[in-house]
Amino acid sequence: MNRNRRTAVQAFFTILQNANLRGFFTGKIYRGALKSVCVPGLNCYSCPGALGACPLGSLQNSLTSGAFRFPYYVLGLMVFFATLLGRGVCAFLCPMGLLQDLLDRVPLKKVKTFRGDRPLRYLKYVILAVFVIAIPLAVKLTPAFCKYVCPSGTLSGIMLAMADHRLFDLMGSRFILKAAILLLIIIASVKICRPFCRYICPLGAFYSLFNRVSLLRLELDRESCVHCGACSDACGMGADPAQDPDSPECIRCGACIHACPRGALLYGTGGFGASLKAENKK
Amino acid sequence: MMLRKRIIPILLALSVAMAAYGISTGQPSAVSIKASSVCTECIGLE
């Protein structure tokens, strides 16, 4: 799938998940029945447009509430999305992914990798374990990722405060910390492809655990592959599809499929039905 | 490939069963209650 078409899909799902457009002007969030449904991507439920609930926020809140109940509902939905799409959610359904992809289009020389890039990728798993699971379980009423890190929540706060200026008076040091993280992500996104997805996002970390078994996958025809390196050059996430098409870093964006001169890479369904036809430029 | 073919239906069935059990025990309403009010932690308010 070419980049513009994928951007159109991302924009469609971002608008679909944030279709309460009136909220952006009134500063009032949607409170209807759909708020009980978790969306697949990172989309703060305090966003003025949000129709559904953020899976990470919902997971932390169920873990951190006084009377612990195993979050069957939220985890069930997350495992369902992960089994179907793996990190394909990041490439097609996540509004934070769209924001970073748009910033990646700023025509500046990009940094493909740097010293510390590889070890830094494990940070997202640490954030998942510590901020999303351990702290909410250990400290009552502390959804730590939402509280101290989540840039989606910070963006939502800014949008709410733009509609209701009184909120700016209530923003203190925690907001400054979160705004600094958001700013860092925005600046980094201009030079590095999807820095938030690569290093920080615990939802991406969760989905990446399913990349090797998900229904949507990349299929490599090893006989057609001539190891020209075009796929790894095209991969913004720094994966090498010719070596490992199921890499946990792969977000299934299809850039490698588009770049392969031999048509050796295809979207597939892991042995269920036929491979999906590639839209290779030939 | 064979392992994958076996795991996918198991994971899908497990996830649907988990979500269905969560729904039957009223967990979506807890999600809805939290998500229907502005989350002060999320937006960075003190």
Side-chain angles (χ1 to χ4, degrees):
Chain A
M1 181 174 285
N2 77 35
R3 202 176 183 189
N4 289 337
R5 237 187 253 184
R6 188 165 64 83
T7 303
V9 173
Q10 290 173 290
F12 172 76
F13 280 104
T14 298
I15 294 168
L16 191 70
Q17 292 170 61
N18 294 284
N20 179 40
L21 299 179
R22 207 170 52 167
F24 291 102
F25 303 101
T26 61
K28 302 257 186 294
I29 66 168
Y30 169 75
R31 295 168 199 269
L34 283 173
K35 265 286 163 77
S36 61
V37 180
C38 289
V39 295
L42 192 73
N43 194 132
C44 182
Y45 42 50
S46 289
C47 173
L51 291 182
C54 171
L56 276 187
S58 304
L59 180 64
Q60 287 169 87
N61 280 312
S62 54
L63 295 177
T64 202
S65 63
F68 175 77
R69 289 168 71 197
F70 188 84
Y72 290 103
Y73 172 64
V74 180
L75 263 183
L77 285 179
M78 285 171 69
V79 172
F80 183 76
F81 295 136
T83 307
L84 283 184
L85 300 173
R87 286 195 82 181
V89 171
C90 310
F92 293 97
L93 306 180
C94 181
M96 276 304 292
L98 172 65
L99 174 70
Q100 292 171 91
D101 282 351
L102 292 177
L103 289 166
D104 190 49
R105 288 185 179 230
V106 176
L108 281 177
K109 195 172 186 300
K110 305 298 173 189
V111 177
K112 286 281 284 183
T113 187
F114 55 90
R115 201 173 159 186
D117 172 39
R118 290 279 156 193
L120 209 53
R121 287 168 189 241
Y122 292 101
L123 179 64
K124 57 182 176 285
Y125 299 102
V126 175
I127 291 175
L128 173 66
V130 176
F131 282 76
V132 178
I133 299 169
I135 297 178
L137 273 175
V139 188
K140 221 184 220 185
L141 304 178
T142 307
F145 179 74
C146 296
K147 199 170 178 176
Y148 301 111
V149 184
C150 184
S152 178
T154 316
L155 265 179
S156 302
I158 292 169
M159 285 188 280
L160 281 172
M162 281 166 69
D164 181 357
H165 292 103
R166 289 170 302 177
L167 287 177
F168 280 122
D169 299 333
L170 302 172
M171 289 170 171
S173 54
R174 199 192 311 145
F175 178 78
I176 293 169
L177 167 73
K178 289 192 68 181
I181 293 171
L182 173 65
L183 189 65
L184 196 68
I185 290 166
I186 288 173
I187 293 169
S189 298
V190 177
K191 292 291 285 177
I192 303 169
C193 177
R194 288 181 173 242
F196 177 69
C197 305
R198 277 193 197 206
Y199 309 121
I200 301 172
C201 183
L203 192 56
F206 179 84
Y207 288 142
S208 79
L209 301 174
F210 291 78
N211 247 16
R212 293 196 189 281
V213 293
S214 66
L215 193 63
L216 178 69
R217 60 175 302 201
L218 284 182
E219 284 177 359
L220 173 68
D221 179 356
R222 294 191 187 275
E223 285 179 13
S224 302
C225 178
V226 289
H227 301 283
C228 63
C231 53
S232 58
D233 285 346
C235 180
M237 297 298 287
D240 185 355
Q243 290 295 323
D244 184 5
D246 291 328
S247 162
E249 295 301 321
C250 172
I251 58 168
R252 318 289 200 226
C253 69
C256 54
I257 296 174
H258 199 62
C260 180
R262 305 266 300 178
L265 283 157
L266 296 169
Y267 278 125
T269 52
F272 289 87
S275 291
L276 308 175
K277 190 177 175 359
E279 296 170 46
N280 290 355
K281 54 173 186 188
K282 292 271 163 56
Chain B
M1 183 70 85
M2 281 308 292
L3 184 69
R4 195 175 203 139
K5 271 189 140 177
R6 285 183 188 173
I7 284 178
I8 289 173
I10 293 169
L11 282 174
L12 285 176
L14 183 71
S15 63
V16 170
M18 281 169 70
Y21 180 72
I23 290 168
S24 73
T25 56
Q27 290 187 356
S29 62
V31 168
S32 179
I33 289 166
K34 182 67 193 171
S36 293
S37 54
V38 173
C39 169
T40 53
E41 289 98 349
C42 305
I43 65 173
L45 298 187
E46 295 297 324

